[in-house]
Amino acid sequence: MGRNPRFDVLFEPVRIGPVTAPNRFYQVPHASGMTNALPQVRARFRGVKAEGGWGVVCTGAVSIHPSSDDSPLPFASLWDDKDIRAHALMTDAVHEHGALAGIELWHGGACTLNRTSRLAPLSPSGMPWLSTHLGFMGNLRPRAMDAADIRDLLNWQAAGARRAMQAGFDIVYVYAGMGYLPYEFLLPEYNHRTDAYGGSIENRVRLVRELLEVTRDAVGNRCAVALRISLEELRGKSGVDAPSEAHEVVQLLAEIPDLWDVKMDSSPTDCAPSRFSPEGSHERIVNFVKQLTKKPVVGVGRFTSPDVMVSQVKRGILDLIGGARPSIADPFLPRKINEGREHEIRECIGCNICISSWHDGVPVRCTQNPTAGEEWRRGWHPERFEAAKSGSSILIVGGGPAGLECAVTLARRGYRVTIADAAKEFGGRLRFETRLPGLATWGRVVDWRLGQLRERPNVNLYPGSELNADDILASGHSHVVIATGARWTKMLFSTLEFPVGELEVPGVYTPDDLAAGIVPSGPVVVFDFDNYYMGGAVAEQLAKQTAGVTYVTTAGNASAWTFMTNELPLVHRALVKAGVSIHTLQRVTAFDGAAVTLADVYSGAEKRLACGSLVIVGMRKPRHDLYRALVARDADLEAAGIASITRIGDSLAPGAIVHAVHSGHRYAREFDTVVDSIDAELPYTRDFPV
């Protein structure tokens, strides 16, 4: 099957200064959690994207000096010549497939805390970034840069550019976005200087201009020079002779960089979750840039639809289609479009689990693509699978995320697979969760996998089929996988921060009860110590169904862990808009049918809230009754020819959807394989610095 002609424009080459991108698919710089300490992991992760058809593949942020130290958050460095070889592994991997390699040289300024280097952070005027989240708080404030510091910064950028060229990069960035040092010079809130670098917009843009110039001098005509810039705040500031300061900045620098990489200012808007923002949400901010420059423009917007991509190009919004999250969810997205297989694209769901991996300080993970970050250390390729080594047939009981991923991967390997679920529709937990506010896009987890399974002759699908132990013993399969998920409990929360004692009284519910169709009578209290999306989403949904919804949590914020996925401020806004009252740092200790008793997490001080129904979103337990019933019948299993019974996903250990998908994928990848190595006892190959 060939490419659909209406997508031809996406495969046109684009000249970027002295280099040419082979197509318009551009993997913009994004964090991967893979620092110089994991050079092989990083190289394979980026190289697979080039193999998948991305014409340009970039690094994440690469520090140019120890005064830009983001530890313990993962960041790469190019401080001296010893760093060059680690990056060369990545450029070699990208070039092997005909793509260009880009590097995002970075100085964090006042937004870095320099915990390891212990150097005073730098800023235009000594103004600190005062985060509201503990992981970004520090006590060392930045110092104001003098003329010598500015000269040093320009020298560090130039030295980084020369090393980048030695490492084999084709595009070298100046990064003036997301609150980092060059961006701080652009904003009057940070920049109070009275010299040639402060005051007017012409002065505030001077440092960015000089950074571009020294980068150009360093790389000559061997590399393109790109400017990555945040425009959201600048677009909101009125210009003197232009609609906004964003327009003025672009006019002043229009033809200096070889490429404009345009973005938003903060993670919740730049990497907006699908729960709150649609595909292409950046357009309203960046849509003017191409009108003011002749140089190519790249931008992002969680683009997964090729028709939307074509529209961006033909309407003059972008020249290159930027992808970060979509390139993680499906590294082969461009190749699938090119080969007329766009229906096979594994679309990003915008859950932002990938972003949480940066906050966690670990290699990137993805709900849709369990091979992300595992390409080198486990040898998992997103499109290639080891062929079946036996004629085994596998029965999977449970059609949620873990079961579906397990079935797809086993089927792609060539095994005979049967998957059964008691419900009339596959999807497991997602049958309910995708009906919650903003979460419909998460249905792609189910839709893509069912689409794959329905096309394969070696797969049998049996929805609406509740199986007991006798049914399984009589099924004729040689291996059984239990993927029956988990259940929410009615446990409360103790002073030791443990779940304790189920509250079995009338009027107490869990998300499972809501999924079954129960609508609690008001006023409703939602008690959340799960701290991910569920509690907030349930509260928002209930506010549409009944009056008087109150959200209570033991944490300091509603849905506190969603800070990790860029959702936290948006969750709070949504709850306020829905009229939900929020009580933080409180635990429920009692419920009598008319009121709940709350106790302050730290002081123990109590108060009562009117409450007709209590919904507890706390601890989950595996549904393992079927598994236990089977493993207790050893003789029957042997007689039935069943060689193994294995649990995966939430039925093994409850977690987020990403954990369930990874669990199902790992079972299927490792099924029937023999690891023959000195490190066979280790779950994956360890990487080391070069």
Short mmCIF file of all heavy atoms in Angstrom, two decimals, residues 103-165:
data_model
loop_
_atom_site.label_atom_id
_atom_site.label_comp_id
_atom_site.label_asym_id
_atom_site.label_seq_id
_atom_site.Cartn_x
_atom_site.Cartn_y
_atom_site.Cartn_z
N ILE A 103 20.86 19.37 18.71
CA ILE A 103 21.21 19.43 20.13
C ILE A 103 20.71 20.73 20.73
O ILE A 103 20.93 21.82 20.19
CB ILE A 103 22.73 19.28 20.35
CG1 ILE A 103 23.07 19.28 21.84
CG2 ILE A 103 23.52 20.35 19.60
CD1 ILE A 103 24.51 18.88 22.14
N GLU A 104 20.04 20.63 21.86
CA GLU A 104 19.47 21.79 22.55
C GLU A 104 20.43 22.23 23.65
O GLU A 104 20.38 21.75 24.78
CB GLU A 104 18.11 21.42 23.15
CG GLU A 104 17.40 22.57 23.83
CD GLU A 104 16.07 22.14 24.43
OE1 GLU A 104 16.05 21.21 25.26
OE2 GLU A 104 15.04 22.71 24.04
N LEU A 105 21.34 23.15 23.30
CA LEU A 105 22.24 23.70 24.31
C LEU A 105 21.44 24.58 25.27
O LEU A 105 20.59 25.37 24.85
CB LEU A 105 23.36 24.50 23.63
CG LEU A 105 24.28 23.70 22.69
CD1 LEU A 105 25.37 24.61 22.13
CD2 LEU A 105 24.87 22.49 23.39
N TRP A 106 21.76 24.46 26.56
CA TRP A 106 20.84 24.98 27.58
C TRP A 106 21.57 25.54 28.78
O TRP A 106 22.55 24.95 29.25
CB TRP A 106 19.92 23.83 28.00
CG TRP A 106 19.21 23.98 29.31
CD1 TRP A 106 18.11 24.77 29.57
CD2 TRP A 106 19.52 23.33 30.54
NE1 TRP A 106 17.73 24.63 30.89
CE2 TRP A 106 18.58 23.75 31.51
CE3 TRP A 106 20.51 22.42 30.92
CZ2 TRP A 106 18.59 23.30 32.83
CZ3 TRP A 106 20.53 21.96 32.24
CH2 TRP A 106 19.57 22.40 33.17
N HIS A 107 21.08 26.70 29.23
CA HIS A 107 21.48 27.22 30.53
C HIS A 107 20.21 27.59 31.29
O HIS A 107 19.40 28.39 30.81
CB HIS A 107 22.40 28.44 30.42
CG HIS A 107 23.13 28.70 31.71
ND1 HIS A 107 22.49 29.10 32.86
CD2 HIS A 107 24.45 28.57 32.05
CE1 HIS A 107 23.35 29.23 33.85
NE2 HIS A 107 24.56 28.91 33.38
N GLY A 108 20.04 27.01 32.46
CA GLY A 108 18.80 27.16 33.20
C GLY A 108 18.66 28.43 34.01
O GLY A 108 17.56 28.77 34.45
N GLY A 109 19.77 29.14 34.23
CA GLY A 109 19.68 30.39 34.96
C GLY A 109 19.06 30.24 36.33
O GLY A 109 19.40 29.33 37.10
N ALA A 110 18.13 31.12 36.66
CA ALA A 110 17.51 31.15 37.98
C ALA A 110 16.61 29.96 38.24
O ALA A 110 16.19 29.73 39.38
CB ALA A 110 16.72 32.45 38.16
N CYS A 111 16.28 29.20 37.19
CA CYS A 111 15.40 28.04 37.36
C CYS A 111 16.16 26.79 37.76
O CYS A 111 15.55 25.75 37.99
CB CYS A 111 14.62 27.77 36.07
SG CYS A 111 13.33 28.99 35.78
N THR A 112 17.48 26.86 37.81
CA THR A 112 18.26 25.73 38.29
C THR A 112 18.77 26.04 39.69
O THR A 112 19.05 27.20 40.02
CB THR A 112 19.45 25.43 37.37
OG1 THR A 112 20.20 26.63 37.18
CG2 THR A 112 18.98 24.92 36.02
N LEU A 113 18.89 25.00 40.49
CA LEU A 113 19.27 25.20 41.89
C LEU A 113 20.72 24.81 42.16
O LEU A 113 21.21 25.02 43.27
CB LEU A 113 18.33 24.38 42.79
CG LEU A 113 16.84 24.75 42.66
CD1 LEU A 113 15.99 23.86 43.54
CD2 LEU A 113 16.63 26.21 43.04
N ASN A 114 21.38 24.21 41.16
CA ASN A 114 22.81 23.88 41.30
C ASN A 114 23.11 23.11 42.58
O ASN A 114 24.08 23.40 43.30
CB ASN A 114 23.66 25.15 41.21
CG ASN A 114 23.56 25.83 39.86
OD1 ASN A 114 23.08 25.24 38.89
ND2 ASN A 114 23.99 27.08 39.77
N ARG A 115 22.28 22.10 42.83
CA ARG A 115 22.43 21.34 44.07
C ARG A 115 23.77 20.59 44.12
O ARG A 115 24.34 20.41 45.20
CB ARG A 115 21.29 20.34 44.21
CG ARG A 115 19.91 20.97 44.41
CD ARG A 115 18.86 19.86 44.49
NE ARG A 115 17.52 20.35 44.79
CZ ARG A 115 16.59 20.58 43.87
NH1 ARG A 115 16.87 20.38 42.59
NH2 ARG A 115 15.39 21.00 44.20
N THR A 116 24.23 20.12 42.96
CA THR A 116 25.48 19.38 42.94
C THR A 116 26.69 20.30 42.79
O THR A 116 27.67 20.18 43.51
CB THR A 116 25.46 18.35 41.79
OG1 THR A 116 24.42 17.41 42.02
CG2 THR A 116 26.79 17.60 41.72
N SER A 117 26.61 21.24 41.85
CA SER A 117 27.76 22.13 41.63
C SER A 117 27.95 23.12 42.77
O SER A 117 29.06 23.58 43.03
CB SER A 117 27.60 22.88 40.31
OG SER A 117 26.57 23.86 40.42
N ARG A 118 26.87 23.48 43.44
CA ARG A 118 26.86 24.43 44.56
C ARG A 118 27.33 25.82 44.14
O ARG A 118 27.79 26.63 44.96
CB ARG A 118 27.68 23.90 45.75
CG ARG A 118 27.21 22.55 46.24
CD ARG A 118 27.87 22.13 47.53
NE ARG A 118 27.37 22.90 48.64
CZ ARG A 118 27.71 22.68 49.92
NH1 ARG A 118 28.56 21.70 50.20
NH2 ARG A 118 27.22 23.42 50.88
N LEU A 119 27.18 26.11 42.84
CA LEU A 119 27.46 27.44 42.34
C LEU A 119 26.19 28.29 42.45
O LEU A 119 25.08 27.79 42.25
CB LEU A 119 27.90 27.38 40.88
CG LEU A 119 29.18 26.59 40.60
CD1 LEU A 119 29.41 26.51 39.09
CD2 LEU A 119 30.37 27.23 41.29
N ALA A 120 26.36 29.56 42.74
CA ALA A 120 25.20 30.44 42.79
C ALA A 120 24.55 30.50 41.42
O ALA A 120 25.23 30.75 40.41
CB ALA A 120 25.60 31.84 43.24
N PRO A 121 23.23 30.26 41.32
CA PRO A 121 22.55 30.36 40.02
C PRO A 121 22.70 31.76 39.44
O PRO A 121 22.87 32.74 40.18
CB PRO A 121 21.09 30.03 40.36
CG PRO A 121 21.15 29.28 41.64
CD PRO A 121 22.31 29.84 42.39
N LEU A 122 22.61 31.85 38.12
CA LEU A 122 22.74 33.13 37.43
C LEU A 122 21.37 33.63 36.99
O LEU A 122 20.50 32.84 36.64
CB LEU A 122 23.64 32.97 36.21
CG LEU A 122 25.07 32.49 36.46
CD1 LEU A 122 25.79 32.29 35.13
CD2 LEU A 122 25.82 33.47 37.36
N SER A 123 21.20 34.94 36.98
CA SER A 123 19.96 35.53 36.47
C SER A 123 20.25 36.96 36.02
O SER A 123 21.27 37.54 36.40
CB SER A 123 18.86 35.52 37.54
OG SER A 123 19.13 36.49 38.53
N PRO A 124 19.37 37.55 35.23
CA PRO A 124 19.61 38.91 34.76
C PRO A 124 19.74 39.92 35.90
O PRO A 124 20.59 40.81 35.85
CB PRO A 124 18.39 39.22 33.89
CG PRO A 124 17.86 37.89 33.50
CD PRO A 124 18.15 36.97 34.63
N SER A 125 18.88 39.77 36.92
CA SER A 125 18.82 40.80 37.96
C SER A 125 18.71 40.23 39.36
O SER A 125 18.32 40.96 40.30
CB SER A 125 17.61 41.72 37.70
OG SER A 125 17.60 42.19 36.38
N GLY A 126 19.01 38.95 39.54
CA GLY A 126 18.93 38.36 40.87
C GLY A 126 17.53 37.94 41.28
O GLY A 126 17.30 37.59 42.44
N MET A 127 16.58 37.96 40.34
CA MET A 127 15.21 37.58 40.66
C MET A 127 15.09 36.06 40.64
O MET A 127 15.39 35.41 39.64
CB MET A 127 14.23 38.19 39.65
CG MET A 127 14.26 39.70 39.61
SD MET A 127 13.82 40.44 41.20
CE MET A 127 12.09 39.99 41.29
N PRO A 128 14.61 35.45 41.75
CA PRO A 128 14.53 33.99 41.79
C PRO A 128 13.23 33.47 41.22
O PRO A 128 12.23 34.18 41.13
CB PRO A 128 14.59 33.70 43.29
CG PRO A 128 13.90 34.88 43.92
CD PRO A 128 14.26 36.07 43.04
N TRP A 129 13.26 32.20 40.81
CA TRP A 129 12.03 31.46 40.49
C TRP A 129 11.63 30.73 41.76
O TRP A 129 12.39 29.90 42.27
CB TRP A 129 12.28 30.47 39.35
CG TRP A 129 11.07 29.65 39.00
CD1 TRP A 129 9.84 30.11 38.64
CD2 TRP A 129 10.97 28.22 38.97
NE1 TRP A 129 8.99 29.08 38.38
CE2 TRP A 129 9.65 27.90 38.57
CE3 TRP A 129 11.86 27.18 39.23
CZ2 TRP A 129 9.21 26.58 38.44
CZ3 TRP A 129 11.42 25.87 39.10
CH2 TRP A 129 10.11 25.58 38.71
N LEU A 130 10.46 31.04 42.29
CA LEU A 130 10.02 30.49 43.57
C LEU A 130 8.89 29.49 43.32
O LEU A 130 7.71 29.84 43.31
CB LEU A 130 9.57 31.61 44.51
CG LEU A 130 10.70 32.60 44.87
CD1 LEU A 130 10.16 33.74 45.71
CD2 LEU A 130 11.83 31.88 45.60
N SER A 131 9.27 28.25 43.11
CA SER A 131 8.30 27.21 42.80
C SER A 131 7.38 26.94 43.98
O SER A 131 7.76 27.12 45.14
CB SER A 131 9.05 25.92 42.42
OG SER A 131 8.16 24.84 42.31
N THR A 132 6.18 26.50 43.67
CA THR A 132 5.24 26.09 44.72
C THR A 132 5.29 24.59 44.98
O THR A 132 4.52 24.08 45.78
CB THR A 132 3.80 26.48 44.33
OG1 THR A 132 3.48 25.89 43.06
CG2 THR A 132 3.65 27.98 44.24
N HIS A 133 6.18 23.89 44.28
CA HIS A 133 6.28 22.44 44.44
C HIS A 133 7.61 22.08 45.08
O HIS A 133 8.67 22.56 44.68
CB HIS A 133 6.14 21.73 43.09
CG HIS A 133 6.06 20.24 43.22
ND1 HIS A 133 7.18 19.44 43.20
CD2 HIS A 133 5.00 19.41 43.41
CE1 HIS A 133 6.81 18.18 43.35
NE2 HIS A 133 5.51 18.13 43.48
N LEU A 134 7.56 21.20 46.07
CA LEU A 134 8.72 20.89 46.89
C LEU A 134 9.94 20.48 46.07
O LEU A 134 11.07 20.89 46.36
CB LEU A 134 8.37 19.78 47.89
CG LEU A 134 9.48 19.34 48.84
CD1 LEU A 134 9.93 20.50 49.70
CD2 LEU A 134 9.01 18.18 49.71
N GLY A 135 9.74 19.65 45.05
CA GLY A 135 10.87 19.15 44.28
C GLY A 135 11.67 20.23 43.58
O GLY A 135 12.82 20.00 43.19
N PHE A 136 11.11 21.42 43.44
CA PHE A 136 11.79 22.51 42.76
C PHE A 136 12.15 23.65 43.71
O PHE A 136 12.59 24.71 43.27
CB PHE A 136 10.92 23.04 41.62
CG PHE A 136 10.76 22.06 40.49
CD1 PHE A 136 9.74 21.13 40.51
CD2 PHE A 136 11.64 22.06 39.43
CE1 PHE A 136 9.59 20.21 39.48
CE2 PHE A 136 11.51 21.16 38.40
CZ PHE A 136 10.48 20.22 38.42
N MET A 137 11.94 23.45 44.99
CA MET A 137 12.27 24.48 45.96
C MET A 137 13.72 24.37 46.38
O MET A 137 14.28 23.28 46.48
CB MET A 137 11.39 24.35 47.20
CG MET A 137 9.93 24.68 46.98
SD MET A 137 9.00 24.48 48.52
CE MET A 137 7.34 24.84 47.95
N GLY A 138 14.35 25.51 46.64
CA GLY A 138 15.70 25.55 47.15
C GLY A 138 15.90 26.83 47.94
O GLY A 138 15.09 27.75 47.88
N ASN A 139 17.00 26.89 48.66
CA ASN A 139 17.26 28.05 49.51
C ASN A 139 18.34 28.96 48.97
O ASN A 139 18.54 30.06 49.49
CB ASN A 139 17.65 27.57 50.92
CG ASN A 139 16.56 26.74 51.54
OD1 ASN A 139 15.40 27.14 51.52
ND2 ASN A 139 16.91 25.59 52.10
N LEU A 140 19.05 28.52 47.95
CA LEU A 140 20.10 29.35 47.36
C LEU A 140 19.51 30.20 46.25
O LEU A 140 19.00 29.69 45.26
CB LEU A 140 21.22 28.46 46.79
CG LEU A 140 22.39 29.18 46.13
CD1 LEU A 140 23.12 30.08 47.13
CD2 LEU A 140 23.36 28.16 45.52
N ARG A 141 19.55 31.51 46.43
CA ARG A 141 18.97 32.43 45.47
C ARG A 141 20.01 32.82 44.40
O ARG A 141 21.22 32.80 44.65
CB ARG A 141 18.45 33.69 46.18
CG ARG A 141 17.38 33.41 47.22
CD ARG A 141 16.12 32.88 46.58
NE ARG A 141 15.10 32.57 47.57
CZ ARG A 141 14.64 31.36 47.82
NH1 ARG A 141 15.12 30.33 47.14
NH2 ARG A 141 13.71 31.16 48.72
N PRO A 142 19.55 33.20 43.21
CA PRO A 142 20.49 33.55 42.14
C PRO A 142 21.14 34.90 42.36
O PRO A 142 20.64 35.75 43.09
CB PRO A 142 19.59 33.58 40.90
CG PRO A 142 18.25 33.94 41.43
CD PRO A 142 18.14 33.29 42.78
N ARG A 143 22.27 35.06 41.72
CA ARG A 143 22.94 36.36 41.74
C ARG A 143 22.77 37.05 40.39
O ARG A 143 22.58 36.41 39.36
CB ARG A 143 24.42 36.20 42.05
CG ARG A 143 25.23 35.44 41.02
CD ARG A 143 26.69 35.34 41.45
NE ARG A 143 27.52 34.60 40.52
CZ ARG A 143 28.10 35.11 39.45
NH1 ARG A 143 27.90 36.39 39.15
NH2 ARG A 143 28.86 34.37 38.67
N ALA A 144 22.79 38.38 40.42
CA ALA A 144 22.66 39.16 39.19
C ALA A 144 23.95 39.07 38.39
O ALA A 144 25.06 39.16 38.94
CB ALA A 144 22.34 40.61 39.52
N MET A 145 23.81 38.88 37.09
CA MET A 145 24.97 38.76 36.21
C MET A 145 25.56 40.14 35.90
O MET A 145 24.83 41.10 35.64
CB MET A 145 24.57 38.07 34.91
CG MET A 145 24.10 36.64 35.10
SD MET A 145 23.39 35.94 33.58
CE MET A 145 24.84 35.84 32.52
N ASP A 146 26.88 40.21 35.93
CA ASP A 146 27.55 41.43 35.48
C ASP A 146 28.08 41.22 34.06
O ASP A 146 27.85 40.17 33.44
CB ASP A 146 28.66 41.83 36.45
CG ASP A 146 29.73 40.76 36.62
OD1 ASP A 146 29.87 39.89 35.73
OD2 ASP A 146 30.43 40.79 37.65
N ALA A 147 28.81 42.20 33.55
CA ALA A 147 29.28 42.12 32.16
C ALA A 147 30.20 40.92 31.94
O ALA A 147 30.17 40.28 30.89
CB ALA A 147 30.00 43.42 31.80
N ALA A 148 31.01 40.59 32.94
CA ALA A 148 31.91 39.44 32.81
C ALA A 148 31.12 38.14 32.74
O ALA A 148 31.48 37.22 32.00
CB ALA A 148 32.89 39.42 33.99
N ASP A 149 30.05 38.06 33.52
CA ASP A 149 29.21 36.85 33.49
C ASP A 149 28.58 36.67 32.10
O ASP A 149 28.46 35.55 31.60
CB ASP A 149 28.11 36.95 34.54
CG ASP A 149 28.64 36.90 35.96
OD1 ASP A 149 29.56 36.12 36.21
OD2 ASP A 149 28.13 37.66 36.81
N ILE A 150 28.15 37.77 31.50
CA ILE A 150 27.55 37.68 30.17
C ILE A 150 28.59 37.21 29.16
O ILE A 150 28.30 36.36 28.30
CB ILE A 150 26.93 39.03 29.77
CG1 ILE A 150 25.70 39.30 30.64
CG2 ILE A 150 26.56 39.04 28.28
CD1 ILE A 150 25.04 40.64 30.40
N ARG A 151 29.82 37.74 29.27
CA ARG A 151 30.88 37.27 28.38
C ARG A 151 31.14 35.77 28.59
O ARG A 151 31.34 35.03 27.62
CB ARG A 151 32.15 38.07 28.61
CG ARG A 151 32.10 39.50 28.08
CD ARG A 151 33.49 40.12 28.01
NE ARG A 151 34.12 40.20 29.33
CZ ARG A 151 33.98 41.22 30.17
NH1 ARG A 151 33.23 42.26 29.82
NH2 ARG A 151 34.59 41.22 31.33
N ASP A 152 31.13 35.34 29.85
CA ASP A 152 31.33 33.92 30.15
C ASP A 152 30.23 33.08 29.51
O ASP A 152 30.50 32.03 28.91
CB ASP A 152 31.34 33.69 31.65
CG ASP A 152 32.62 34.15 32.31
OD1 ASP A 152 33.63 34.34 31.59
OD2 ASP A 152 32.62 34.33 33.55
N LEU A 153 28.99 33.52 29.65
CA LEU A 153 27.87 32.77 29.08
C LEU A 153 28.03 32.62 27.57
O LEU A 153 27.82 31.53 27.02
CB LEU A 153 26.54 33.47 29.41
CG LEU A 153 25.29 32.82 28.80
CD1 LEU A 153 25.05 31.44 29.38
CD2 LEU A 153 24.07 33.72 29.01
N LEU A 154 28.41 33.70 26.90
CA LEU A 154 28.61 33.64 25.45
C LEU A 154 29.75 32.68 25.10
O LEU A 154 29.66 31.94 24.12
CB LEU A 154 28.89 35.04 24.90
CG LEU A 154 27.73 36.04 25.03
CD1 LEU A 154 28.19 37.45 24.65
CD2 LEU A 154 26.54 35.63 24.17
N ASN A 155 30.78 32.67 25.90
CA ASN A 155 31.89 31.75 25.66
C ASN A 155 31.46 30.30 25.90
O ASN A 155 31.89 29.40 25.16
CB ASN A 155 33.08 32.10 26.56
CG ASN A 155 33.77 33.39 26.14
OD1 ASN A 155 33.74 33.76 24.96
ND2 ASN A 155 34.39 34.08 27.08
N TRP A 156 30.66 30.07 26.94
CA TRP A 156 30.18 28.70 27.21
C TRP A 156 29.32 28.21 26.06
O TRP A 156 29.41 27.06 25.66
CB TRP A 156 29.38 28.66 28.51
CG TRP A 156 30.15 29.06 29.73
CD1 TRP A 156 31.49 29.01 29.92
CD2 TRP A 156 29.58 29.61 30.94
NE1 TRP A 156 31.82 29.47 31.17
CE2 TRP A 156 30.68 29.85 31.82
CE3 TRP A 156 28.30 29.93 31.36
CZ2 TRP A 156 30.48 30.38 33.11
CZ3 TRP A 156 28.10 30.44 32.64
CH2 TRP A 156 29.19 30.67 33.49
N GLN A 157 28.46 29.08 25.54
CA GLN A 157 27.61 28.70 24.41
C GLN A 157 28.47 28.37 23.19
O GLN A 157 28.23 27.36 22.51
CB GLN A 157 26.63 29.83 24.08
CG GLN A 157 25.78 29.61 22.84
CD GLN A 157 24.69 28.57 23.02
OE1 GLN A 157 24.29 28.25 24.13
NE2 GLN A 157 24.20 28.02 21.91
N ALA A 158 29.44 29.20 22.91
CA ALA A 158 30.30 28.96 21.75
C ALA A 158 31.08 27.66 21.90
O ALA A 158 31.20 26.87 20.95
CB ALA A 158 31.26 30.14 21.55
N ALA A 159 31.60 27.42 23.10
CA ALA A 159 32.36 26.19 23.34
C ALA A 159 31.44 24.97 23.20
O ALA A 159 31.83 23.94 22.63
CB ALA A 159 32.99 26.23 24.73
N GLY A 160 30.22 25.10 23.73
CA GLY A 160 29.26 24.00 23.59
C GLY A 160 28.92 23.73 22.14
O GLY A 160 28.79 22.58 21.72
N ALA A 161 28.79 24.79 21.35
CA ALA A 161 28.48 24.64 19.93
C ALA A 161 29.63 23.93 19.19
O ALA A 161 29.40 23.07 18.34
CB ALA A 161 28.21 26.00 19.30
N ARG A 162 30.87 24.30 19.53
CA ARG A 162 32.02 23.63 18.89
C ARG A 162 32.06 22.15 19.26
O ARG A 162 32.31 21.29 18.40
CB ARG A 162 33.31 24.34 19.29
CG ARG A 162 33.51 25.69 18.62
CD ARG A 162 34.92 26.22 18.85
NE ARG A 162 35.14 26.57 20.26
CZ ARG A 162 34.90 27.77 20.78
NH1 ARG A 162 34.41 28.75 20.01
NH2 ARG A 162 35.14 28.02 22.05
N ARG A 163 31.80 21.85 20.51
CA ARG A 163 31.79 20.43 20.92
C ARG A 163 30.63 19.69 20.26
O ARG A 163 30.76 18.52 19.89
CB ARG A 163 31.70 20.34 22.45
CG ARG A 163 32.91 20.87 23.17
CD ARG A 163 32.86 20.60 24.67
NE ARG A 163 33.98 21.27 25.33
CZ ARG A 163 33.87 22.36 26.09
NH1 ARG A 163 32.66 22.89 26.32
NH2 ARG A 163 34.93 22.92 26.63
N ALA A 164 29.50 20.36 20.13
CA ALA A 164 28.35 19.73 19.46
C ALA A 164 28.70 19.38 18.03
O ALA A 164 28.35 18.31 17.52
CB ALA A 164 27.14 20.66 19.51
N MET A 165 29.41 20.29 17.36
CA MET A 165 29.83 20.03 15.98
C MET A 165 30.78 18.83 15.94
O MET A 165 30.66 17.97 15.07
CB MET A 165 30.50 21.29 15.42
CG MET A 165 30.89 21.20 13.96
SD MET A 165 31.41 22.82 13.32
CE MET A 165 32.72 23.26 14.47
#
